[in-house]
Amino acid sequence: AAERQQALAVLGEMVLLPGAGLDALDDVSMEDWLAKRTVPHALYNYMAMHSNASLAEPIDRVAASEQIKILQQIATRGGGGYYRGGFGRVLDDIADAIRANGGEIRTNARVGQIVIRDGRVTGVETAEGTFRAPIVISTAGIQPTVLKLAGASQFPAPYVEYVKGLEPGWGFATVRYFLDRPAMPHKMYMVWSDDSWWNLERAKRVSEGHEPDEVIMFITVPCNFDPSMAPPGKQCLIAGTICSPDPKAAEIDMLYRKLDEQLARCFPAAWAAVERREVDGPAEVSAHTRDSVLPGQGGECVGIGQIVGQCGTRKPSPRTPIAGLFLAGCDAGSGTMGTHQATDSGMTVARMVRAELAAAH
């Protein structure tokens, strides 16, 4: 009972913290913020797990402002959800909206270079040809955009050094388990212990070859949100754990194996129903969405790290030093959870671009 009151006091303070109070925590880690309060051991373990699972960061590096904002959203709006029809349907809806508003979508036209002339963006070069535009919005990540697509030589040297110094967020080693029958009745599962969450020290030990007894395990069962997400009588589990963002990290295969072991131990009925499995981690993320342009970077779960010095008032600006070149997504323009952050950034940058276009005319 005493610990419950202590926990409620800490959680209540988080939920009621105003915006100005949050901004003051951009340079304070969650660990340091908790250290000044009476925090029951079980609550600290939960907060450490939450920093890993919701922000892909260690509790001793994650910005307190960012983690508390997410906890406020969970407290006031609920936590956990899934898009009807899946993430692919969301992309289809966006594509339909673009076409309905006069836009055109080109597939199989990977951008090779953002073209810049006299300090201003003029378009993009692709295998399908060069497309001219007065404004280019890149969602490829700030480091791939600046260091590869546009080219470091186009930017002021201090800005290039700033971009190079941004820390990547951690990755997520994910396994999709395809089950021949329903075995998991709930929509989401969080599995953790006192020792399974990572801080910087624990992450370093794993990168040096240590195999932990357990890892945190986050599981989503999409068809329990939307029955159309699996054939009748089947289930798919999306399970993952924290890992390095390095596409070449040696420990990733070990973490996939740990997920298998924990699924078998914690949910034996689900493990017995597995027909097949697919893995998806930093290497796949980098291959599909984020070029690896610096050592140990490319397979981030979210984007640049949501850590002290890189969040809130410290977040990179969507506006780059190149006139007409903007950044959107999880590296600029917003904060909090991954898809929420990316969507809010898109809307924020859209308003900035509209204003710039209006001023030009």
Side-chain angles (χ1 to χ4, degrees):
E3 286 191 345
R4 188 155 53 249
Q5 290 304 313
Q6 293 167 353
L8 286 171
V10 173
L11 293 170
E13 183 181 356
M14 289 184 197
V15 172
L16 297 174
L17 199 62
L22 287 169
D23 289 345
L25 298 178
D26 287 341
D27 293 326
V28 178
S29 74
M30 198 68 217
E31 181 181 70
D32 288 342
W33 190 86
L34 292 172
K36 296 179 180 179
R37 289 150 181 85
T38 302
V39 182
H41 189 60
L43 177 60
Y44 183 88
N45 286 330
Y46 168 77
M47 294 300 299
M49 178 280 301
H50 182 268
S51 70
N52 288 178
S54 292
L55 297 106
E57 294 296 344
I59 192 169
D60 47 352
R61 288 290 285 142
V62 69
S65 58
E66 199 83 340
Q67 188 165 4
I68 292 174
K69 285 176 189 174
I70 291 174
L71 290 163
Q72 287 180 342
Q73 291 178 350
I74 291 173
T76 58
R77 305 178 197 174
Y82 204 82
Y83 304 104
R84 289 191 181 277
F87 282 83
R89 199 222 75 190
V90 176
L91 297 178
D92 287 342
D93 286 352
I94 293 171
D96 290 342
I98 289 172
R99 295 187 183 101
N101 286 277
E104 181 182 353
I105 294 173
R106 295 289 184 100
T107 58
N108 297 315
R110 185 183 180 100
V111 173
Q113 183 180 1
I114 297 171
V115 183
I116 298 166
R117 296 285 185 268
D118 300 323
R120 179 167 192 91
V121 72
T122 63
V124 295
E125 289 183 356
T126 78
E128 297 292 308
T130 298
F131 298 87
R132 298 182 61 80
I135 287 179
V136 171
I137 306 166
S138 174
T139 59
I142 185 171
Q143 290 169 331
T145 298
V146 171
L147 303 179
K148 180 181 179 183
L149 296 177
S153 62
Q154 301 287 349
F155 297 86
Y159 185 76
V160 173
E161 290 307 306
Y162 162 71
V163 169
K164 287 181 177 180
L166 293 169
E167 290 187 34
W170 282 354
F172 231 69
T174 303
V175 183
R176 286 186 290 274
Y177 297 98
F178 297 89
L179 278 54
D180 63 10
R181 56 189 179 274
M184 302 284 270
H186 301 295
K187 297 174 180 178
M188 283 186 171
Y189 297 79
M190 299 296 303
V191 182
W192 78 95
S193 65
D194 292 359
D195 301 318
S196 57
W197 51 266
W198 289 5
N199 55 14
L200 281 175
E201 179 186 357
R202 291 177 179 180
K204 184 173 183 292
R205 289 184 63 205
V206 172
S207 70
E208 292 172 346
H210 169 72
E211 180 174 323
D213 293 332
E214 299 172 321
V215 294
I216 68 161
M217 191 174 190
F218 174 59
I219 304 174
T220 300
V221 189
C223 68
N224 288 345
F225 290 99
D226 175 6
S228 73
M229 294 304 298
K234 305 275 189 175
Q235 269 189 340
C236 174
L237 317 180
I238 304 174
T241 192
I242 204 75
C243 68
S244 165
D246 186 349
K248 300 178 181 178
E251 71 267 19
I252 305 299
D253 286 341
M254 177 272 290
L255 294 173
Y256 290 144
R257 177 167 51 79
K258 300 302 291 188
L259 289 171
D260 289 350
E261 292 173 0
Q262 283 187 204
L263 185 70
R265 185 172 73 253
C266 299
F267 306 101
W271 180 250
V274 173
E275 287 184 316
R276 62 187 179 89
R277 61 192 278 284
E278 295 176 353
V279 300
D280 206 2
E284 290 75 19
V285 167
S286 184
H288 290 295
T289 69
R290 198 175 184 93
D291 288 320
S292 184
V293 295
L294 291 168
Q297 170 270 339
E300 296 91 318
C301 174
V302 178
I304 62 167
Q306 293 175 272
I307 60 173
V308 168
Q310 296 184 181
C311 291
T313 58
R314 309 294 193 196
K315 194 83 170 185
S317 170
R319 194 184 297 273
T320 74
I322 301 298
L325 177 58
F326 290 82
L327 305 166
C330 289
D331 283 2
S334 187
T336 73
M337 285 286 287
T339 48
H340 294 192
Q341 178 178 186
T343 303
D344 184 65
S345 170
M347 293 188 288
T348 297
V349 175
R351 288 189 289 268
M352 295 173 68
V353 169
R354 281 186 173 205
E356 179 143 326
L357 289 171
H361 291 85

